[in-house]
Amino acid sequence: MKVTIIPEKCIACGLCQTYSDNFDYYDNGIVKFVNSDDLQLELPDKDSTVLAVKNCPTKALISH
């Protein structure tokens, strides 16, 4: 699944990382992909990633 991060929408709540180890945070708490500064990546279609995207309260994560 392709996932896009929209940093402007992120409120640094931390939910995405609790669901999936594909996500990490910058020092200011804004979401990023683990080991990447890209805003869009192809990630394995795992339940944990789907949950992270679906449960983002501000829709800062979008799956395609």
Side-chain angles (χ1 to χ4, degrees), residues 44-64:
D45 195 12
K46 299 187 321 188
D47 288 344
S48 60
T49 305
V50 172
L51 282 172
V53 172
K54 282 187 173 186
N55 287 296
C56 178
T58 62
K59 305 300 182 217
L61 304 174
I62 300 171
S63 65
H64 308 271

Side-chain angles (χ1 to χ4, degrees), residues 5-7 10 12 16 23-26 28-33 60-61:
I5 295 174
I6 305 170
C10 181
C16 54
F23 301 101
D24 196 3
Y25 301 99
Y26 290 104
N28 63 358
I30 302 301
V31 65
K32 66 178 229 134
F33 293 112
L61 304 174

